[in-house]
Structure formats: C-alpha cells, structure tokens
Amino acid sequence: MSQSQHILTAVAWPYANGPRHIGHVSGFGVPSDVFSRYQRMAGNKVLMVSGTDEHGTPIQVQADKEGVSARELADRYNRVIAEDLTALGLSYDLFTRTTTLNHYAVVQEIFKGLYDNGYVFPRTTMGAISPSTGRTLPDRYIEGTCPICGYDGARGDQCDDCGNQLDPVDLINPKSRINGETPKFVETEHFMLDLPAFADALGSYLQAKQGEWRPNVLKFALNLLGDLQPRAISRDLDWGVPIPLDGWRDRHDKRLYVWFDAVIGYLSASVEWARRSGDPDAWRQWWQNPDAQGYYFMGKDNIVFHAEIWPAILLGYNGEGARDGKPGSLGRLGLPSEVVSSEFLTMEGRKFSSSRQVVIYVRDFLSRYDADALRYYIAVAGPESQDTDFTWNDFVNRNNGELVAAWGNLVNRSISMAAKNFGAVPQVGDLTDADRALLASSKAAFAPVGAELARSRFKNAASQALDVVRDANRYLAEQEPWKLKGDPARQQSILHVALQVVDDVKTMLTPFLPTSSNKIYGMLGGEGVWTGMPEIREVGEEGGRDYPIITGDYAGAARWEHRPIAPGTPLAPPSPLFPKLDPKVVDDELARMGGG
C-alpha cells in the first residue's frame, strides 16, 4: 500500500460455554492473525479486537450441566479461551469479554440510537419455551423441517439449505436440540429490528462489493435480501444486557438478545482499547475515518450476522435506512469493508463433536504439537473457500514434508554451514547467473505474496513463499557448497545467497509462523524483537470486576520488504525449528478418537 491505513480486524467472538477446538480457530482465529500480522508489517495501523461471547441461554444450559452459575461458567471459559488463543500466538490488540460495564454501555447506546431513529419497535410474538425448565429456547437451539424447501435440519433462525430466514414457530415438527422435547410457544413482547427498512440500503452496500468479497459470502448475503423480516433483538431471560428504556431496564425477565449484543462487541472492544491506551477517542480512527478499512473474520455460519444484520444495525444507528434519522451520540460509524468468511473444517470425515470424541481442543493440540505447525496447516489446508477435512495423516505429512524437510532443512543447513565455516554472514563475491536468478526470484516474491495476504488468500500466499524455498533447496543441491572448501570465495558467495533467501522467506512466512520466524531472526544475528507476541494481562474497570485480556506490543522489527543481509553479522548455531513427527502419531490420535 502506498500510505499507511487504519485497518480494523474484527474477529468473531468465541462462545464461552466451553473450550474451543481447532475447527473454531480455523474459521476466526488463525486467518485473522495472519492477515493482521501482514498488515502491520506492511506499515498499516492495525486494531485487532474480539473477546468471549458470554450471554444467552446456551451459557445458562451449560452452567446448569456443570452445577455453577452463568457468571462462574463464563469466568472459567473466558480464561481458558484467552490462554489458548495466546498460546496460538493470536496478536489481539484487545481480546476482552461481553460482560464488562463498558460493553453494556456501548450496546445500550446503539439500541437507543436505533430506537430513537425508529428502527426498533415492540411487537407481541410467539416465543419458544422449554416445557421442562420454563426457560426460553434460542432460535438456533430449535430444529425442524423447513416450511419453504422441506430441508429436515433447518434451525429456528434460518434454513442452511435454502438460506431463508425463519421463525421457530414456522418449523414443521420443531424439536429442542438440548433435550429433544417439543417446545411450547407462548405470546411474549419483544423488541424487533426492522430489517425490511434497510433492504434498499443493504442492497446498494452489497452490490458495491462485487469483485471484492469472496463469492460464497456475497452470494449468500444477496440471496437474503429478498426475504428480510423484522428480527427480535430481545429475549425472555435474566442473563444478558438490560434493555435501556423506562419500564424495561429494571425487569429481570427481559434482556437484549445475545446475537445483538455480540456483534456490537467489535465497537465496544475498540472503545475499551482506546480507553486503556490513554486516548479515549483513539477508536474513532478505525470507525469514522473515511479511509479506514474494516475486515471481519468468521466461519460461514455467521455470515448472516456480519454481512446483513450488523451492517443494518450500523445503518440504523447512522440514520441511513428508509426512515432516515440522525447518528447517535457516538457519531456516524463505518460499515464492514469486507466479510472474510471461512467454510467448515471437519475431522477425519466427520463433523466435530465433543460427545462423540470427534474433536481436539486447542489446548490439547498445543500440548503435543507446535503452535506454528497448527497455524501453517490451517493456512495451507484449512477451509478458506470450501469445506475441508482435517486428517492426522495430512497434518503429519505437511509437518514433515513442508515444515521440516523443505523450510526447516533450508534454514538449518544454510545457517549451520555458514556458522561452522565462517562464524558470521559470509562475504559475497562475483555472482553467477544461478545466484542472480535465485536472489531475483526471492526478492520479487514479496509483491505477489503480499498481494495474496492483503486479499486473505492465505493458501496462495504460503504456496508462493514455499516455491522460493524449493528453489533455494534445489540451488544448494546443485551448487554443493559443502564440497568447496578448496574454493572459499565461491563457498562464501553460495552461502551468502542462501542466507539472503532464508532471510527473505523468514519475512514472508512471519504472518504464518511468528514463533519460528523470531527464532530465525535471532539465528541470523538479529537484535531485539522481530515480531511481537500476545500476552495476558489482568485488568479492571471502575465499578466492575477484574478480568484477563489478551494484548501485546507488536511494534517489532518486522517489515514487509527485502532487507539485504550484512556480511560479518555473527550467526548463532541453529537448532531444529520443527520436530519431525513419527508416523505412528496418526494411529495414536485416531485411537484417542475411538478408532477413527
């Protein structure tokens, strides 16, 4: 990019009703971090925010199962998730939670702005209640047959087969996903978001994204425009954000719907980050600067909320729907520049399922394997544009073939030969055509790899970087510097060329492999921090409770550019970057799954 931009990376909020598995982080976690690390290296001002989503009935259901309160459950899994995402190296500027007083205040402000502009109204509807508990059943926790297309697994909020928005009462033979019972439908008053009032504005907004968004995302969003219906944004429960209107705010049986408060979290987290940075208005550069860009990362089951409903909420708060209006007290807020949705990851041909042991949680995975190995696998073999199956055999083969035998081998033999023979980066003498060709292709790769990363095409980016690695390994095999002790000048030139390529590729792979890239930076004589890593800090807020956040200082030396290495720079003896995995790992992991 020609000049620095403000880039908001808005990462889907993991639900705090349990630990997250690798399928979750393949959708929201790793892709958003690869993108953010690249954007920082390219010189842009990145604000990467998210947190744990902690309200709603699913939290209450899980709390009942574990015999704790909803808050106790949320506290526990907020910390577990924060620790796991930190271990994975996700560089959040702020990873917070939806149970903060700051979040409540921002959500209530957005609600009031919508209400004042006439885009929220009360309506008596039929609500689903569990006959056995008397508790509200979330739309997504009800399944039945779609009344439109006949699909047998439609949810109460939408049919994934035909894409139409639904109400639970419309389903044929509805059943609770919690216990299989038939829900009871009763009259209840709720506040509705008037989505039809945004049909024209949303249509114009989405049509302008042709050629910019992933085709699957845009097609799905455009298909929804023809059947927009008012959507409830409140629920009958006592765990959530209170409704900020007279006669409602003190009621213990009504709260704002969890999906409504969760999407506003991107804004509330930005506001919280600004306050913690010492400049309470700093968030405005990412939300109100016309040149700022906002990228939203999630799995495909969240497209409707981010490509349709969240833009509608922002349009309504801005007063830009069919009823016009004026912006609320926060001012006009920018809409998403792009919704970057991944498809689903399955495991050994089956859907992830904790109850059936078809799952591996992030914490368990990282206790046995490197974080960079998982990050790399998700980037090159994950569900970027189509559903993808994780297999242990593929993971082991890619680790051993691409990380160990290709990249790790290039790094270790180049640095070890140079360190052993010269102790420092060797001098470079007269270059051959082969030397110049490799140096040129390595330097030239920055532009296309960077272009792919900027468009969230991670597979293509990693593949092009690995092409340089293969070229360099072929170059060393052909030049055979280990046989040139009698020609030290030529040996030095070859190893200098190899180390330059190692340094180039280290830079290009930094967004994917931050931990190992930091190690290579040190091996090549780099001083200080190459790329920053996240950390957990304990914080509090006035009138509230203490809680952990993920944050970090990411202003390292890493820049997205070719950097000539300096002859004479001392080299540190290398150590293996990635452990080679025994093929029996496949059998061991399948056994943990109950036989595969």
Side-chain angles (χ1 to χ4, degrees):
M1 296 181 181
S2 58
Q3 61 183 21
S4 179
Q5 279 190 305
H6 287 81
I7 303 289
L8 173 70
T9 306
V11 190
W13 291 56
Y15 208 56
N17 63 338
R20 300 297 88 183
H21 57 62
I22 63 170
H24 293 131
V25 296
S26 71
F28 72 84
V30 172
S32 62
D33 189 62
V34 172
F35 176 82
S36 295
R37 286 182 180 276
Y38 163 72
Q39 293 290 356
R40 293 190 188 102
M41 293 174 70
N44 291 314
K45 298 179 177 67
V46 174
L47 180 59
M48 177 174 166
V49 294
S50 186
T52 43
D53 181 0
E54 301 180 4
H55 292 132
T57 301
I59 293 285
Q60 294 178 306
V61 170
Q62 186 63 30
D64 289 346
K65 288 181 180 178
E66 299 191 20
V68 297
S69 69
R71 180 169 290 281
E72 288 172 328
L73 185 94
D75 285 346
R76 179 195 308 165
Y77 288 120
N78 162 259
R79 186 171 295 276
V80 167
I81 292 169
E83 290 173 352
D84 290 352
L85 301 185
T86 300
L88 195 53
L90 306 188
S91 57
Y92 292 100
D93 293 284
L94 180 68
F95 182 90
T96 180
R97 57 195 307 188
T98 58
T99 48
T100 66
L101 298 179
N102 168 77
H103 178 71
Y104 277 39
V106 174
V107 170
Q108 291 175 333
E109 164 59 24
I110 296 297
F111 176 91
K112 287 187 289 185
L114 289 165
Y115 183 82
D116 290 344
N117 283 337
Y119 296 110
V120 166
F121 61 91
R123 172 186 284 181
T124 299
T125 66
M126 300 300 291
I129 302 293
S130 166
S132 60
T133 67
R135 182 175 288 161
T136 298
L137 284 171
D139 294 350
R140 286 191 166 201
Y141 272 55
I142 303 171
E143 285 187 346
T145 301
C146 176
I148 299 172
C149 72
Y151 176 60
D152 195 34
R155 298 196 311 260
D157 57 347
Q158 70 181 48
C159 175
D160 286 337
D161 193 56
C162 67
N164 282 289
Q165 180 182 337
L166 301 173
D167 285 317
V169 71
D170 297 330
L171 293 174
I172 301 168
N173 298 322
K175 299 290 183 183
S176 166
R177 291 176 56 197
I178 298 173
N179 56 18
E181 66 185 359
T182 300
K184 179 182 178 182
F185 292 96
V186 298
E187 283 193 351
T188 182
E189 188 173 24
H190 284 300
F191 285 94
M192 314 293 289
L193 176 64
D194 190 5
L195 285 176
F198 304 106
D200 290 343
L202 282 173
S204 298
Y205 163 72
L206 292 171
Q207 290 292 348
K209 302 301 181 182
Q210 296 278 3
E212 298 179 13
W213 288 17
R214 291 178 177 176
N216 61 316
V217 178
L218 188 59
K219 180 180 178 181
F220 185 90
L222 287 170
N223 285 344
L224 294 174
L225 286 177
D227 188 38
L228 291 178
Q229 302 293 328
R231 189 155 186 160
I233 60 172
S234 61
R235 269 298 176 258
D236 296 308
L237 70 168
D238 59 3
W239 176 245
V241 179
I243 298 169
L245 296 176
D246 291 343
W248 292 85
R249 61 171 51 88
D250 295 326
R251 292 185 60 170
H252 298 292
D253 62 336
K254 297 283 185 181
R255 290 292 186 271
L256 291 175
Y257 208 163
V258 61
W259 66 258
F260 178 79
D261 92 72
V263 292
I264 298 172
Y266 303 117
L267 175 61
S268 70
S270 302
V271 171
E272 180 183 346
W273 168 84
R275 177 174 57 81
R276 297 194 182 284
S277 76
D279 180 2
D281 287 327
W283 64 272
R284 297 183 185 277
Q285 287 296 322
W286 284 269
W287 287 88
Q288 296 176 329
N289 182 337
D291 294 326
Q293 299 287 308
Y295 296 85
Y296 290 70
F297 288 81
M298 75 220 61
K300 66 179 178 181
D301 54 336
N302 275 318
I303 292 176
V304 65
F305 296 105
H306 294 83
E308 208 91 37
I309 295 175
W310 179 227
I313 291 171
L314 292 167
L315 288 165
Y317 185 81
N318 294 340
E320 296 171 353
R323 293 191 179 85
D324 296 326
K326 61 180 182 179
S329 64
L330 294 175
R332 187 188 182 280
L333 304 170
L335 275 62
S337 304
E338 183 171 357
V339 173
V340 186
S341 169
S342 298
E343 301 295 296
F344 288 151
L345 186 73
T346 55
M347 188 170 185
E348 298 290 347
R350 293 181 284 174
K351 289 184 178 181
F352 280 91
S353 171
S354 301
S355 61
R356 297 184 179 91
Q357 293 185 293
V358 186
V359 68
I360 181 166
Y361 296 110
V362 172
R363 176 160 303 200
D364 293 337
F365 195 104
L366 297 183
S367 71
R368 301 196 285 275
Y369 310 106
D370 283 1
D372 275 3
L374 177 58
R375 292 173 62 103
Y376 178 78
Y377 183 89
I378 290 173
V380 302
E384 183 177 303
S385 58
Q386 63 184 17
D387 291 350
T388 305
D389 190 42
F390 173 94
T391 70
W392 286 108
N393 188 63
D394 190 31
F395 172 72
V396 170
N397 287 341
R398 287 185 181 275
N399 180 86
N400 291 350
E402 295 167 25
L403 292 182
V404 177
W407 176 224
N409 182 46
L410 175 64
V411 172
N412 279 279
R413 65 175 173 168
S414 300
I415 296 178
S416 63
M417 277 191 285
K420 179 180 179 181
N421 290 287
F422 309 106
V425 174
Q427 298 291 330
V428 60
D430 294 335
L431 297 176
T432 67
D433 289 345
D435 300 337
R436 293 190 189 92
L438 180 60
L439 288 172
S441 66
S442 178
K443 184 176 181 180
F446 277 92
V449 173
E452 297 289 7
L453 287 170
R455 299 191 66 183
S456 300
R457 294 178 176 176
F458 308 117
K459 292 183 181 183
N460 289 347
S463 176
Q464 291 184 42
L466 262 290
D467 284 343
V468 179
V469 171
R470 295 183 184 96
D471 290 344
N473 277 321
R474 189 180 307 112
Y475 165 84
L476 283 177
E478 293 171 352
Q479 301 299 319
E480 299 180 317
W482 49 88
K483 293 184 178 180
L484 298 177
K485 290 185 178 181
D487 187 357
R490 179 59 190 151
Q491 187 183 51
Q492 287 188 69
S493 291
I494 293 170
L495 292 177
H496 183 98
V497 169
L499 291 177
Q500 181 64 68
V501 174
V502 166
D503 190 74
D504 286 348
V505 177
K506 171 264 297 175
T507 299
M508 286 185 273
L509 289 180
T510 292
F512 303 97
L513 309 173
T515 300
S516 55
S517 295
N518 274 328
K519 292 178 182 177
I520 297 169
Y521 178 69
M523 292 177 191
L524 291 172
E527 296 181 353
V529 176
W530 171 245
T531 185
M533 299 300 286
E535 62 183 58
I536 292 179
R537 297 178 191 169
E538 302 293 327
V539 300
E541 61 179 345
E542 185 176 351
R545 306 158 72 243
D546 291 348
Y547 55 97
I549 62 169
I550 304 175
T551 188
D553 180 2
Y554 307 116
R559 298 292 181 272
W560 193 261
E561 61 187 11
H562 163 81
R563 180 184 63 114
I565 57 175
T569 303
L571 295 172
S575 57
L577 289 176
F578 311 99
K580 185 175 182 179
L581 300 178
D582 191 318
K584 74 181 186 67
V585 161
V586 176
D587 293 333
D588 293 343
E589 294 294 352
L590 290 175
R592 288 189 178 96
M593 291 172 56

